[in-house]
Amino acid sequence: MEVIEKIKEMQERAEKLRLSGETIAFVPTMGFFHEGHLELMRVGRKAGSKLVISIFVNPIQFGPSEDFERYPRDMEGDLQKAKEVGVDIVFMPSVDEMYPEGFQTKVAVRDLTQHLCGLSRPGHFDGVTTVVSKLFNIVKPHVAIFGQKDYQQLTVISRMVMDLNMDIKIIGVPTVREPDGLAMSSRNTYLGKEERESALCLVKSLELAQNLLDTGEDNPMMIKERIEELIREYPYTEIDYVSVCDPDTLDELESISDRALVALAVRVGSARLIDNRIITKKEKRGE
Ligand code: PAF
């Protein structure tokens, strides 16, 4: 497995791979790998003949009061895991390499970012689309793989790729969960023992939403209210948002005709956790 730290070297390597007919699959990450990341890499392994990943904790997607400094890092462990999964190249630039003095360009997706996490984390998605555009220009992938746990991120990046005619296929991979249902996240490491139990309120909320729809409750306001009630029963939690929205536009729904995205962000102790699920009316599931 090669480790590359310099942009120019990565670009030259990618160009060579392309010229020799390889298909580059790319998994951008911020490191501190768990099964969710490894699953993205396994999908990437099959999607291309060469698998490139990046490890870069991107400062411009964190707000001033967010956890950039304390975001968990484990370079040695990450490299070992990447090797085991069969990664060919790890691109691992420094912050100065990615954002040298004078850097002043931003890539922004206008409307899809004005919902969900975009409202509680202003500027976050501009940071994501800017760094992902840069990474795409550096790694030159044919296909890139993202997790569905960050549903809005996947939607925003897919839109960006479409709008800017980037010749890259985007693959979304289902969320990997702990045996009790908690979505895997690097931020789960912030949870103390009791907070870890409370963190289950996210997946329980999503199950509740589907159960409510199954029993005929298709009013998004009522579903949101019931979810908020449920979360309030769990200690150490504070709701950031609960949304029942259109899975494509992310606009809040006034009624559910066949399916809806239920997305939520909840602070549990010092961890801000997100999760989502598409809920579908029974008659549309074809069971
Ligand atoms: O999902 C992430 O880990 C990050 O947002 C990404 C896509 C690597 C960009 O920094």
Side-chain angles (χ1 to χ4, degrees), residues 28-30 56 58 61 124 128 131-132 135 146 150 153 157:
T29 81
M30 298 206 299
F56 179 64
N58 174 36
Q61 71 185 73
H124 166 70
V128 170
V131 80
V132 170
L135 290 167
F146 294 85
D150 297 289
Q153 170 171 283
I157 288 169

Side-chain angles (χ1 to χ4, degrees), residues 247-260:
D248 300 318
T249 62
L250 308 183
D251 290 331
E252 290 295 314
L253 289 174
E254 282 176 8
S255 64
I256 302 175
S257 56
D258 50 7
R259 54 187 214 126

Side-chain angles (χ1 to χ4, degrees), residues 19-134:
L19 285 173
S20 55
E22 305 280 5
T23 310
I24 303 177
F26 177 45
V27 180
T29 81
M30 298 206 299
F32 205 69
F33 295 155
H34 49 67
E35 262 306 306
H37 295 109
L38 303 183
E39 184 57 20
L40 301 183
M41 293 177 211
R42 286 185 201 110
V43 171
R45 192 53 288 164
K46 292 195 192 123
S49 59
K50 288 285 171 193
L51 174 59
V52 181
I53 67 164
S54 61
I55 302 178
F56 179 64
V57 185
N58 174 36
I60 69 164
Q61 71 185 73
F62 289 80
S65 58
E66 293 184 357
D67 56 345
F68 172 68
E69 292 297 341
R70 73 171 186 135
Y71 194 83
R73 291 158 169 93
D74 175 16
M75 215 37 97
E76 240 177 73
D78 284 352
L79 291 177
Q80 185 55 38
K81 287 176 187 155
K83 204 170 171 184
E84 282 163 17
V85 174
V87 169
D88 295 298
I89 302 177
V90 181
F91 176 57
M92 227 170 62
S94 67
V95 172
D96 287 347
E97 179 76 3
M98 288 294 273
Y99 301 114
E101 226 183 289
F103 183 87
Q104 52 185 290
T105 299
K106 170 167 103 176
V107 178
V109 173
R110 193 186 51 228
D111 297 337
L112 285 170
T113 56
Q114 304 306 310
H115 303 274
L116 313 178
C117 292
L119 297 177
S120 38
R121 303 185 69 190
H124 166 70
F125 286 111
D126 293 355
V128 170
T129 41
T130 301
V131 80
V132 170
S133 301
K134 282 171 69 70

